[in-house]
Amino acid sequence: MALTINSTYTLANGVEIPVVGFGTWQTPDGDVAENAVLDAIKAGYRHIDTAAVYKNEEGVGHGIANSGVPREDLFVTTKLWNDAHGYEEAKAALADSLEKLGLDYVDLYLIHWPNPFAIRDSWQEKNQAAWKYMEEALEQGLVRAIGISNFRTHHIDSLLETAKVKPHVNQIYLSPSDIQEDVVAHNEKHGILTQAYSPLGTGTMLEVPALKEMAAKYRKSVAQVAIRWSLQKGFNPLPKSVTTSRIIENIDLFDFELSAADMAVIDGLKGSGKVASNPDEVEF
């Protein structure tokens, strides 16, 4: 069936998630975040992604509240930051995020980072404790689905040692420059949807000659080609912008399809732009 702006993926627990989301990383709080979310919802996005560490949950929440779209028609994600790994910490962090967003529940709650620098000697136990609370929040209806972000295969395996519910989503840095094939395969093995944040390689994909040629061929922008590639790979891309025209452009993806040959060319662009940081080595 052809993809449309209203298409969804079905998570392992039956919850439906729109195939394209709107990212808000690096979007300032206040009017900027609110207006970006309003523009996105007006353009047709129904999937809004934020995080505690983005420090824009209040602005995002205002955009959601003022959009005129019923809450049940929107899919909202936020994330647990590195200072809140653990059972009680996760409980307090989710309550804080819900308050800032002005929501009774979020549709998806993620552990944002697998191995924070401050708990590098105990990350396995801390993740498992946070996950235990997230499973309870799922039962209580405070969240509709739970997942992880930036997890590599060994981080996933550690969590699964004690998890009663497998993660529904793993949100990773994923673009044609860094396909993270081993992580994607591990996600698929466990029924975990792969979300692609920074599907444009934090902008580095926009300068790749092969993508520029392809964009001209399809009469689309480089961004649209890169995001469409992500969709056709079965990923869940989360393009981000605060510019109204680009917000609209980044979801105008459903009137063309990349050929198998062009998909293969894009698959071969590894290393052509920025790649993911190693979560076991970053110092935050």
Side-chain angles (χ1 to χ4, degrees), residues 154-168:
H154 60 290
H155 304 126
I156 296 170
D157 290 341
S158 171
L159 192 66
L160 292 178
E161 288 175 4
T162 59
K164 295 178 181 177
V165 177
K166 287 185 178 183
H168 299 119

Side-chain angles (χ1 to χ4, degrees), residues 34-254:
E34 178 178 352
N35 290 330
V37 169
L38 285 169
D39 283 344
I41 293 172
K42 185 177 180 181
Y45 295 84
R46 292 295 179 266
H47 175 183
I48 310 296
D49 180 277
T50 185
V53 76
Y54 299 171
K55 300 190 183 303
N56 61 16
E57 288 173 312
E58 290 186 12
V60 168
H62 290 153
I64 290 167
N66 295 327
S67 70
V69 173
R71 170 66 184 96
E72 61 270 20
D73 293 342
L74 297 173
F75 190 100
V76 182
T77 300
T78 194
K79 310 179 192 78
L80 176 83
W81 187 234
N82 295 357
D83 57 359
H85 286 227
Y87 181 92
E88 292 297 338
E89 295 90 339
K91 185 175 184 178
L94 177 58
D96 186 58
S97 286
L98 289 172
E99 182 177 356
K100 287 177 177 173
L101 286 162
L103 300 177
D104 296 326
Y105 69 94
V106 288
D107 299 274
L108 179 62
Y109 195 51
L110 308 178
I111 298 178
H112 202 153
W113 202 257
N115 190 358
F117 186 69
I119 58 167
R120 198 136 287 171
D121 60 346
S122 60
W123 62 267
Q124 297 96 329
E125 295 84 358
K126 295 284 191 179
N127 284 349
Q128 290 169 359
W131 193 254
K132 182 180 179 183
Y133 172 69
M134 290 165 64
E135 290 176 331
E136 292 180 14
L138 184 67
E139 291 180 6
Q140 295 165 4
L142 296 173
V143 300
R144 296 177 66 229
I146 52 178
I148 52 183
S149 183
N150 298 294
F151 276 51
R152 301 289 174 91
T153 58
H154 60 290
H155 304 126
I156 296 170
D157 290 341
S158 171
L159 192 66
L160 292 178
E161 288 175 4
T162 59
K164 295 178 181 177
V165 177
K166 287 185 178 183
H168 299 119
V169 165
N170 186 10
Q171 183 181 128
I172 60 175
Y173 185 99
L174 197 158
S175 77
S177 183
D178 193 355
I179 302 179
Q180 295 206 49
E181 289 160 309
D182 59 333
V183 179
V184 170
H186 211 60
N187 290 343
E188 291 177 355
K189 174 184 174 182
H190 292 289
I192 301 169
L193 176 68
T194 299
Q195 284 190 326
Y197 78 82
S198 295
L200 308 179
T202 52
T204 56
M205 291 290 92
L206 301 178
E207 302 305 320
V208 176
L211 290 178
K212 288 183 177 181
E213 292 176 15
M214 218 171 282
K217 171 182 173 181
Y218 286 95
R219 296 184 179 179
K220 287 289 183 177
S221 70
V222 173
Q224 287 169 320
V225 169
I227 300 166
R228 180 72 201 192
W229 168 85
S230 198
L231 275 179
Q232 289 182 217
K233 296 290 283 188
F235 305 144
N236 186 206
L238 306 170
K240 173 261 174 183
S241 182
V242 296
T243 305
T244 302
S245 60
R246 288 182 186 152
I247 290 170
I248 295 168
E249 176 185 291
N250 288 345
I251 202 171
D252 183 17
L253 307 166
F254 302 100

Side-chain angles (χ1 to χ4, degrees), residues 15-26:
V15 169
E16 293 188 5
I17 180 170
V19 294
V20 178
F22 180 68
T24 62
W25 180 35
Q26 298 178 327

